[in-house]
Amino acid sequence: METERRVLVVEDERTIAEAVAARLRAEGFTVEVAGDGPAAVEAARRTQPDAVVLDVMLPGFDGLEVCRRLQNERPVPILMLTARDDETDLLVGLAVGADDYMVKPFSMRELAARVHALLRRAAKVAVVPAGPPTLRVGDLEINQGERRVVRAGVEAHLTPTEFDLLVHLAAHPRTVLPRERLLADVWGWADASGTRTVDSHIKGLRRKLGADLIRTVHGVGYALEVER
Ligand code: CA
């Protein structure tokens, strides 16, 4: 078990970068800061961080491109920071492999809680052996050992978070799961503001697996709906 955990903070606004770095160091993390896209990719290669806090708006190339490149090289949990509550940015960010996001301005307490949650999840995925190797619900087939998903014979490429969310829904088909419970079970933290993180990942699953797969129960949550 590693004792020293490394977090890479990528943000060009120095006051924010320094405040985030100071808070994470106070939490016991070793923190490296990068101020633009190319520096972020270089720092990630050099320091092999356990998690990345990544601003979207960066000089060089943006946070979405950083996310894409990091996930291609070595999957790492990523918390994305966005300036606006812009749904397009968020969906693209989640699609390229970010696990969670926060909209500025955010509290340092919450940021620290989210980074801890990301690392807990990553540790769980690494340590816990898969349950039933393959989960079949209707035309959906989820191979937990290989973390692969096929619907009606077509493979879908999910991010690690999308995969975990789908497994939770598929474990209780046709059952409405409250957003707060999904947030607690999949992301490891619960906070009313976080339920939009769940909504955004549901959109990603529908885009990749078909809009009919997951039913929205307004004001409550989501249910996996597969025929047969
Ligand atoms: Ca920025």
Side-chain angles (χ1 to χ4, degrees):
M1 197 72 184
E2 271 186 49
T3 48
E4 181 198 83
R5 289 172 304 170
R6 293 178 300 278
V7 181
L8 173 62
V9 174
V10 187
E11 167 65 278
D12 57 315
E13 290 168 67
R14 270 190 64 187
T15 48
I16 298 178
E18 282 168 10
V20 169
R23 177 59 195 243
L24 293 175
R25 286 188 183 114
E27 300 279 331
F29 297 114
T30 298
V31 181
E32 178 97 0
V33 178
D36 61 48
V41 173
E42 188 278 322
R45 278 190 193 131
R46 184 164 42 79
T47 66
Q48 305 273 298
D50 298 296
V52 180
V53 176
L54 177 61
D55 188 40
V56 173
M57 296 296 290
L58 293 171
F61 44 80
D62 70 11
L64 301 176
E65 183 58 26
V66 171
C67 193
R68 220 173 264 127
R69 294 191 190 195
L70 295 191
Q71 299 297 24
N72 278 341
E73 291 187 9
R74 182 185 74 106
V76 59
I78 294 181
L79 171 62
M80 199 160 263
L81 306 177
T82 72
R84 304 159 292 155
D85 202 351
D86 182 328
E87 191 145 79
T88 310
D89 267 9
L90 300 180
L91 290 179
V92 173
L94 300 177
V96 295
D99 297 275
D100 197 0
Y101 67 84
M102 296 182 76
V103 177
K104 293 178 183 175
F106 49 81
S107 80
M108 289 298 157
R109 179 194 60 76
E110 188 174 358
L111 177 117
R114 300 262 193 122
V115 170
H116 281 295
L118 271 187
L119 289 168
R120 272 199 307 275
R121 279 192 51 219
K124 218 165 71 179
V125 169
V127 170
V128 173
T134 301
L135 207 54
R136 283 191 188 81
V137 188
D139 60 1
L140 186 67
E141 194 176 305
I142 304 172
N143 183 322
Q144 299 200 72
E146 297 174 16
R147 294 181 72 83
R148 292 175 64 191
V149 175
V150 173
R151 187 174 188 205
V154 180
E155 182 166 4
H157 298 279
L158 306 185
T159 67
T161 306
E162 286 170 347
F163 183 89
D164 292 343
L165 179 58
L166 181 67
V167 166
H168 269 75
L169 290 164
H172 315 275
R174 287 168 289 274
T175 305
V176 181
L177 299 178
R179 297 149 89 216
E180 290 77 8
R181 175 168 161 202
L182 289 168
L183 191 64
D185 288 352
V186 178
W187 280 265
W189 54 275
D191 177 310
S193 72
T195 51
R196 292 202 51 198
T197 295
V198 179
D199 300 341
S200 303
H201 282 84
I202 291 284
K203 285 198 182 111
L205 285 178
R206 284 178 172 148
R207 199 178 57 246
K208 293 175 181 179
L209 291 165
D212 61 323
L213 184 68
I214 300 165
R215 182 165 63 94
T216 301
V217 181
H218 287 287
V220 184
Y222 297 101
L224 189 88
E225 299 288 337
V226 178
E227 296 302 315
R228 287 164 289 150

